[in-house]
Amino acid sequence: MKRVRKAVLPVAGLGTRMLPAAKTVPKEMLTVVDRPLIHHVLAEARASGIEHFVLVTGRGKGAMENYFDHHVELEATLAAKKKTAILEELMADLPTAGEISYVRQMEPKGLGHAVWCARDIIGDEPFAVLLPDMIMDATPTATAQAISAFEQTEGGNIIVVEPCPPGMAHQYGIVALDGQDGRLNRMTGMVEKPAPGTEPSNLFISGRYVLDPAIFRVLETVERGAGGEIQLTDAMAKLMAIQPFYALEYEGATYDCGDKIGWLRANVALALKRPDLGEAACAALAPLFSA
Ligand code: G1P
């Protein structure tokens, strides 16, 4: 069984739920505490053992390429001023040369199409997908939990899921299970953005996957689905006819940062957890809630 070494991070989305900010700042570059969303998600991939990051980008997303590159003047200035702590922090999650690839999606045809754009860089090996809208705060990381499940099932495909907040199922992909015993269960189906009241379970696809490369061949033929887009969920549902899919209910806290309230929650929750900021953040925020 091949090891999961590469991850696809689809970052071409328009971010309409985060307008007007996302008009000129890629939504993945919006900060959560003191670093962009994409930094949190790439750090999760790295902490999960991923060795190569494939960012599927689009028009107006160039800021991310600069972010994951050296800023020679800034680094020289910080070094000259002996600001070593911040310099070290700046370097800590920086990919080294050759660890990160960018591929342009060129047309906003949906998540499935975005993942398909990475096919040549991924090649013939299982790979992870991390949706950068989602901050998944967990130890081990959500992606590491998915990779462990993949090793446990000796292949197949793993989709990280979690209980859907009431009334929200129509915004997500929802899975159907073949009974439920523990956190890892064989799936029998999945549907993207089901009409209210038709969802097959209360478990939604929360943005981390380990997929077999056979998905690329399916993505080539899958028709446009929900929202007129080529959906990853539709391709996975098709692949399920010939390959096993497992839903993993991961242990951790998810923040949907593609949404204003989710993004705000992530900022507050992660600031409160930070050893260097938590106490001050708590003192500053508490009066807002008692008002
Ligand atoms: C995508 C997936 C969906 C998943 C969601 C999680 O939808 O297609 O299955 O539940 O991400 O955020 P999107 O947010 O692109 O509409």
Side-chain angles (χ1 to χ4, degrees), residues 125-168:
E125 50 184 279
F127 63 102
V129 177
L130 289 84
L131 304 188
D133 279 1
M134 296 300 209
I135 285 197
M136 299 175 71
D137 184 22
T139 313
T141 67
T143 302
Q145 292 180 40
I147 293 172
S148 299
F150 175 78
E151 286 162 358
Q152 196 184 321
T153 58
E154 295 177 1
N157 300 265
I158 309 290
I159 302 183
V160 176
V161 299
E162 63 189 282
C164 191
M168 299 286 278

Side-chain angles (χ1 to χ4, degrees), residues 6 12 26 31 42 46 64 68 75 85 94 122 125 131 165 168 173 187 191 205 207 231 238 250 272 274 291:
K6 298 179 186 173
T31 46
L42 194 125
R46 182 187 293 289
M64 271 177 277
F68 289 121
E75 288 162 15
L94 206 59
I122 297 298
E125 50 184 279
L131 304 188
M168 299 286 278
M187 287 171 52
V191 54
I205 299 173
Q231 295 289 354
K238 259 183 130 176
Y250 92 115
L272 290 174
R274 279 267 294 260

Side-chain angles (χ1 to χ4, degrees), residues 17 111 131 134 171-173 192-193 204-205 209 231 233:
R17 288 187 292 157
L111 177 61
L131 304 188
M134 296 300 209
Q171 289 195 16
Y172 294 114
E192 184 64 24
K193 301 191 175 46
F204 81 98
I205 299 173
Y209 314 71
Q231 295 289 354
T233 304

